[in-house]
Amino acid sequence: MLDHLIAHDDNLRMVPTDRNELTTAIGRLHEELRALPEGSDPSRARILTRWIGIGEMCLGHHDEARAHLQQALDLAAAIGSTRAVVTTGINLADAHRYAGDVQTAGALYRSALSTARGRYPELLDFALQHTGKHLMERGDLADAQSHLLEALRLRIAKGNTELVGSTQAALDRVGLLISQADAAATDPAAPSRQWTAWLQSRTTTRTPDRWAEDFPALQDAVRLLTAQQRVHPRHLRDQSIRTELIGVMAKEAEQAIAVNGYLHNGKWNAVVGDAANRFAEHIDLATIVARSTGLDVEQPHNAVYIAYLEEGQFLDFHVDTIGFGEANLILCLKHEHPTGQSKVSTTVFITADGYLECALATGDCVVFDGALTPHGRTPLSAGESVTLISFGFRARDRTLRTVTNLPPAPA
């Protein structure tokens, strides 16, 4: 009904071939649905409602998609069409998956797969295909490959070349992800490099005006990445840290950067010295992190000075390697800018809900999980400079130090 207006993107998710045409087509289905006479056969209403839901899902209208597909599923159950319950249940599972509700999606896929195996073998390849893609996105690559291989055998037996091609494309995608995972296993820094490259190919801290436009294409992938966050980004103010301690570190940072500073990812870095070590001894930073995030951490095991000193200097979106720690705390040592300047450089994060900017003043902190939260800094304006210190913390619970099923970066 809408097949000709739907394609698949590089991540094998359904997308419109033309948003305007698909929107218009969905409008026509709504008109037909409203025009159905009272007491008419509910089968037509079920079909229309199902395709409206599929169309809304392709447009990224998650709430509308789930509402219509749930209605279609209820209609299928009411008229006793178990076969339609299976197909619509898979569509509804897709809608929940696209919206990031992987738990509900998984339950719906399992139910549809079980019913197809027991009662509708002609639908089994459909259920296996969509379950396989769900498992692929969850990072369960071996199970995904197993489901898709079974679907491929069934589709080859059916002789439908289009379906065979669709499953082969999914298997190729899984094979690529397995190769990336194997490479990451021998190179701990590989996942962070892959995610950083993917992020920087699609958005940048340099042009915040683009963010609203960029975000829809990032949302699903970022949601998968941040699902295992140990710490959500949090801007901390009024921590009652003595200003003289901050001032001493700011002077040490300035000297260290001038003498031994090195450029890294577009910012100045320097090794911390005695002032930072004394600060960490006097201030219970672990308690600050635990109190603000709920994660029980040890005292910081590493630290680095960071400085942005020139107009236009910025730090593009990236993720850190897992080894830096389960929690990061950045403390602003100095942020200078002309009085009355309306726009200042900010620390920025990409979350599952959008971009989060934190304008750090002297003494402000921000805590986050650097390995699982894309982050960076927007460009400095004229006359602006920023000096920071970044601390890394390890969780006391060692089981929290391991990230399982970390999704590979999209190809």
Side-chain angles (χ1 to χ4, degrees):
M1 187 170 286
L2 298 176
D3 284 334
H4 63 294
L5 297 174
I6 296 173
H8 289 83
D9 64 11
D10 293 341
N11 294 318
L12 305 182
R13 289 194 169 195
M14 292 186 291
V15 293
T17 57
D18 186 297
R19 289 189 67 88
N20 291 333
E21 286 189 19
L22 181 57
T23 300
T24 299
I26 292 171
R28 288 195 293 266
L29 296 182
H30 274 291
E31 291 174 2
E32 182 179 348
L33 182 62
R34 287 192 296 267
L36 289 177
E38 187 175 350
S40 61
D41 184 354
S43 296
R44 185 60 182 171
R46 177 191 66 78
I47 293 170
L48 292 170
T49 305
R50 176 185 177 227
W51 276 105
I52 290 170
I54 292 172
E56 296 286 11
M57 175 171 54
C58 295
L59 292 172
H61 302 158
H62 301 308
D63 290 341
E64 294 89 339
R66 285 179 289 185
H68 282 92
L69 287 168
Q70 183 63 60
Q71 183 181 353
L73 183 62
D74 293 342
L75 285 169
I79 63 180
S81 176
T82 310
R83 190 180 191 282
V85 167
V86 173
T87 56
T88 309
I90 292 170
N91 299 143
L92 181 58
D94 286 345
H96 279 281
R97 171 163 61 95
Y98 284 26
D101 184 358
V102 294
Q103 184 173 1
T104 302
L108 288 164
Y109 286 124
R110 288 191 295 272
S111 176
L113 187 56
S114 176
T115 305
R117 282 194 187 281
R119 300 181 60 181
Y120 298 98
E122 72 275 14
L123 298 178
L124 184 54
D125 64 306
F126 180 48
L128 287 164
Q129 172 87 359
H130 286 251
T131 304
K133 290 198 287 187
H134 163 69
L135 292 168
M136 176 184 69
E137 291 188 6
R138 290 283 291 158
D140 298 332
L141 301 180
D143 283 347
Q145 190 175 57
S146 175
H147 282 72
L148 291 168
L149 285 170
E150 186 179 355
L152 182 65
R153 289 192 293 270
L154 293 171
R155 290 183 163 182
I156 290 173
K158 282 185 174 182
N160 188 317
T161 56
E162 184 177 352
L163 293 179
V164 169
S166 175
T167 304
Q168 188 60 61
L171 279 166
D172 291 345
R173 173 75 174 162
V174 170
L176 174 64
L177 296 178
I178 289 173
S179 298
Q180 291 177 344
D182 289 343
T186 58
D187 180 2
S192 64
R193 286 201 300 267
Q194 292 162 1
W195 272 105
T196 294
W198 184 84
L199 289 161
Q200 292 178 359
S201 71
R202 284 160 175 79
T203 189
T204 177
T205 63
R206 193 196 298 263
T207 52
D209 290 344
R210 279 180 40 189
W211 291 349
E213 179 181 346
D214 294 339
F215 185 64
L218 300 169
Q219 186 173 22
D220 293 328
V222 170
R223 184 180 287 113
L224 290 174
L225 178 64
T226 60
Q228 299 186 65
Q229 278 177 332
R230 284 74 54 105
V231 172
H232 299 291
R234 192 178 298 267
H235 188 171
L236 306 180
R237 304 176 179 85
D238 302 323
Q239 293 301 304
S240 301
I241 298 173
R242 295 191 342 240
T243 55
E244 64 269 22
L245 295 177
I246 295 174
V248 171
M249 278 194 295
K251 290 181 181 178
E252 180 177 80
E254 182 180 358
Q255 294 170 355
I257 289 165
V259 176
N260 296 311
Y262 56 95
L263 277 171
H264 178 64
N265 290 340
K267 65 186 186 306
W268 287 101
N269 282 21
V271 176
V272 300
D274 292 340
N277 293 328
R278 286 196 299 272
F279 174 82
E281 291 173 0
H282 284 87
I283 304 298
D284 189 355
L285 294 172
T287 295
I288 291 175
V289 172
R291 185 174 60 237
S292 61
T293 68
L295 180 68
D296 188 17
V297 296
E298 299 172 349
Q299 291 298 331
H301 67 102
N302 57 26
V304 62
Y305 286 131
I306 300 170
Y308 302 84
L309 305 174
E310 302 164 6
E311 181 181 356
Q313 196 170 12
F314 71 103
L315 175 62
D316 221 342
F317 288 115
H318 67 287
V319 289
D320 301 330
T321 58
I322 295 291
F324 192 78
E326 287 66 66
N328 305 63
L329 182 146
I330 292 178
L331 169 63
C332 181
L333 302 178
K334 183 192 294 186
H335 189 172
E336 296 183 334
H337 53 84
T339 303
Q341 185 170 301
S342 59
K343 185 63 177 176
V344 297
S345 174
T346 62
T347 300
V348 62
F349 305 91
I350 308 178
T351 73
D353 298 317
Y355 295 83
L356 173 65
E357 287 191 85
C358 299
L360 301 180
T362 301
D364 282 359
C365 309
V366 61
V367 291
F368 60 102
D369 187 337
L372 296 171
T373 311
H375 57 284
R377 173 164 285 276
T378 60
L380 268 65
S381 300
E384 188 176 11
S385 66
V386 180
T387 305
L388 312 164
I389 183 169
S390 176
F391 295 97
F393 298 80
R394 305 294 285 168
R396 292 189 187 277
D397 183 350
R398 290 183 174 271
T399 62
L400 296 176
R401 299 183 181 184
T402 302
V403 178
T404 59
N405 294 325
L406 180 66

